[in-house]
Amino acid sequence: MEKKRKIKILTTVFLIVAVLGLTVAFAAVAQKLTITGEATTSKSTFDVYFANLTNSVTRAEFTKEPALAEGNKTSFSYNVKMTGGVDENKNNSSKVVINFDVKNDSTVSAKLSSYTIGTPSCTAVNAEGGSVDVSNFCSQLKYTLVYKNGDSTTEVAEGLIIPASGSKSMILTLSYDIDNPSNLPADDVTISNLGVDMNFEQSAE
């Protein structure tokens, strides 16, 4: 009986030691993994504006040359008198050209989301103060806005993309070229509705 008791005690001690051995073995292969990090991002900017205005006229003269006002890079205005005269083709013509860049100093591309260009409207008053029909003359006016595209030009239209830090060189032209003298006005004409609006928005393109 004593012999059996000793065997039981030894067996119990052996099992405890074995369990402790297993615990030690598992602890030896444990490993803690740790990740730490920090990130920053540059601020996003969106700045589209006019720059580098120049102009030229043919048989016309500016009474107010296009120029950017101090502290305002997003609009300009002009006044011009189209004097007209006979050109090399013996037509009566006049032409006004305004060159400018639209610059995109943004961190993202800029897309022309909406665009409107006016259709010239004409009014005239005779010496007696009465209105004069100058529709034939007004129909000869051409008012266009294009941008340089390599060696050619393309009409400005919605969807135009200007990449970040890029620009587009544009040309605004008002002109007439009349071969029929009967279409020339007999009185001074006021030409209006020459506004141009371009709205740009951020683009992922």
Side-chain angles (χ1 to χ4, degrees):
M1 188 73 176
E2 185 66 26
K3 184 178 180 181
K4 289 183 180 181
R5 184 166 175 268
K6 287 181 180 179
I7 292 171
K8 188 175 183 180
I9 292 171
L10 288 173
T11 302
T12 304
V13 171
F14 176 78
L15 288 174
I16 293 171
V17 171
V19 171
L20 287 174
L22 285 173
T23 304
V24 171
F26 278 114
V29 296
Q31 180 66 54
K32 180 180 180 182
L33 301 180
T34 303
I35 297 175
T36 59
E38 184 176 294
T40 62
T41 182
S42 300
K43 66 178 182 179
S44 177
T45 60
F46 192 71
D47 189 16
V48 180
Y49 58 91
F50 293 122
N52 305 322
L53 271 69
T54 61
N55 63 74
S56 63
V57 293
T58 304
R59 289 174 285 281
E61 60 183 39
F62 281 104
T63 55
K64 176 186 177 184
E65 291 200 7
L68 296 171
E70 185 69 28
N72 181 5
K73 302 185 296 181
T74 60
S75 66
F76 65 85
S77 61
Y78 68 91
N79 292 324
V80 67
K81 184 175 183 179
M82 306 182 78
T83 54
V86 178
D87 59 23
E88 61 276 10
N89 297 317
K90 297 184 179 180
N91 293 342
N92 196 295
S93 63
S94 180
K95 188 175 185 179
V96 180
V97 177
I98 302 173
N99 298 276
F100 56 88
D101 293 336
V102 175
K103 302 196 72 173
N104 179 19
D105 278 351
S106 308
T107 55
V108 295
S109 295
K111 181 178 182 178
L112 185 57
S113 57
S114 65
Y115 163 69
T116 57
I117 182 169
T119 299
S121 177
C122 305
T123 56
V125 177
N126 59 26
E128 290 74 35
S131 61
V132 179
D133 182 8
V134 288
S135 57
N136 286 343
F137 166 76
C138 206
S139 66
Q140 304 296 310
L141 288 169
K142 295 181 179 180
Y143 195 43
T144 61
L145 179 61
V146 300
Y147 66 92
K148 293 181 180 179
N149 189 5
D151 294 330
S152 61
T153 59
T154 303
E155 285 192 15
V156 171
E158 291 180 11
L160 174 66
I161 298 292
I162 304 179
S165 302
S167 66
K168 291 290 184 183
S169 295
M170 298 190 178
I171 306 169
L172 181 66
T173 304
L174 175 65
S175 65
Y176 65 79
D177 189 0
I178 298 175
D179 57 3
N180 184 350
S182 65
N183 289 330
L184 293 170
D187 301 277
D188 289 343
V189 177
T190 299
I191 304 170
S192 57
N193 198 33
L194 300 178
V196 177
D197 289 318
M198 293 184 286
N199 293 310
F200 285 90
E201 63 182 20
Q202 293 184 8
S203 173
E205 296 181 46

